[in-house]
Amino acid sequence: MEDLSNYRKSYEKSQLLENTIPEDPINLFHKWFYESQDFGGVDEVNAMTIATIGLDGFPKSRVVLLKKFNEEGFIFYTNYNSEKGKAILSNPNVCLSFFWHSMERQVIIKGIAEKTPQSISDNYFNSRPDGSKLGAIVSLQSEVIPSRDYLDKKLNELESTFEGKEIPRPEFWGGFLVRPIEVEFWQGRPNRLHDRIRYQLQEDLIWKIDRLSP
Ligand SMILES: Cc1cc2nc3c(=O)[nH]c(=O)nc-3n(C[C@H](O)[C@H](O)[C@H](O)COP(=O)(O)O)c2cc1C
């Protein structure tokens, strides 16, 4: 067995204290997102893990790209018929997480996902390069396929079909909006005594703030 017990790092870059945080987690998310971007060292600061509960009862997580966020929630795009798409449509409870290692930070968001309105999916789809649009049509995401060749051939066929024409968004492809109900901010600190601040949405729509033991 590979011994990784010497992989050890002390986290000393920052701290997260109650007297410096906003009442609303989206404001703090905004601050941390751009701080991570400006600090550098994270290639895709908008890459996040989304965990879903599958039709088989197992949780599964994978990386997707966050494309928009605001007070309402967090938007990403995918194939609605993919494994994650089917999982979300059957159980919309999901968990998003970000690990911004350069700032020694993690954010974990529990939320409820819903399809974005068609107009939002259309706008985003239309903003993509033609290659990505065709890729979305070609890929029946998460289905078993016979070979790489199969994909390349399908792409070639579609390139000819749509040459000089507008490429429409397929109905099976679009956005999900994740409306947050709980957001946890984790800041690495020395001696494994990290800062953890959790926001929970109350029935009166006020965010309750608690510090959690690391
Ligand atoms: C950096 C990165 C970004 C990705 N972005 C997306 C994305 O925005 N949407 C998407 O559907 N898949 C994206 N993927 C692929 C997913 O991780 C996953 O393989 C795919 O969505 C199929 O997942 P599923 O079979 O669990 O539905 C990305 C993967 C990586 C590594």
Side-chain angles (χ1 to χ4, degrees):
M1 192 177 274
E2 297 297 318
D3 182 7
L4 308 178
S5 52
N6 280 334
Y7 282 49
R8 195 169 285 129
K9 187 180 164 189
S10 181
Y11 301 119
E12 308 189 344
K13 288 245 165 61
S14 192
Q15 58 184 3
L16 183 60
L17 303 177
E18 283 82 342
N19 59 4
T20 63
I21 59 172
E23 286 171 8
D24 185 317
I26 306 299
N27 289 336
L28 186 52
F29 182 86
H30 186 279
K31 179 170 181 280
W32 274 27
F33 184 91
Y34 289 106
E35 280 176 359
S36 289
Q37 180 188 270
D38 297 345
F39 189 83
V42 178
D43 207 20
E44 291 184 288
V45 75
N46 62 329
M48 60 184 185
T49 298
I50 175 160
T52 52
I53 307 293
L55 301 181
D56 57 4
F58 278 86
K60 181 180 169 185
S61 57
R62 75 294 276 159
V63 174
V64 293
L65 295 177
L66 177 65
K67 289 292 174 177
K68 236 178 206 162
F69 69 92
N70 62 17
E71 285 300 321
E72 263 193 300
F74 301 82
I75 293 181
F76 70 96
Y77 294 91
T78 195
N79 184 312
Y80 292 136
N81 295 331
S82 64
E83 186 175 347
K84 87 181 87 45
K86 287 176 181 158
I88 292 171
L89 295 171
S90 122
N91 181 345
N93 297 350
V94 301
C95 182
L96 308 175
S97 63
F98 296 80
F99 174 37
W100 292 318
H101 57 86
S102 59
M103 291 292 294
E104 302 169 350
R105 286 173 174 170
Q106 172 179 225
V107 181
I108 303 171
I109 300 160
K110 285 187 195 168
I112 320 254
E114 64 189 42
K115 283 185 178 178
T116 54
Q118 302 216 12
S119 58
I120 299 227
S121 297
D122 285 336
N123 283 345
Y124 177 68
F125 187 81
N126 293 334
S127 76
R128 303 178 94 205
D130 281 358
S132 307
K133 289 180 183 168
L134 292 177
I137 299 175
V138 164
S139 172
L140 303 181
Q141 197 176 53
S142 317
E143 296 291 322
V144 174
I145 50 172
S147 63
R148 171 78 224 181
D149 212 30
Y150 166 87
L151 279 184
D152 295 335
K153 275 200 184 124
K154 256 179 102 176
L155 179 63
N156 283 340
E157 282 165 23
L158 280 186
E159 278 170 347
S160 323
T161 312
F162 284 106
E163 206 180 334
K165 293 187 193 137
E166 213 172 286
I167 306 166
R169 175 179 66 87
E171 279 205 358
F172 58 75
W173 191 96
F176 279 113
L177 165 70
V178 177
R179 294 181 186 274
I181 57 151
E182 182 180 303
V183 187
E184 180 190 328
F185 295 86
W186 183 100
Q187 174 70 61
R189 298 292 305 271
N191 305 315
R192 299 292 180 257
L193 293 179
H194 315 300
D195 288 328
R196 296 177 65 192
I197 298 289
R198 183 185 65 193
Y199 290 75
Q200 286 178 312
L201 192 59
Q202 308 277 88
E203 270 179 20
D204 56 6
L205 301 184
I206 302 287
W207 289 95
K208 177 172 178 277
I209 301 177
D210 290 298
R211 173 173 288 268
L212 304 181
S213 176

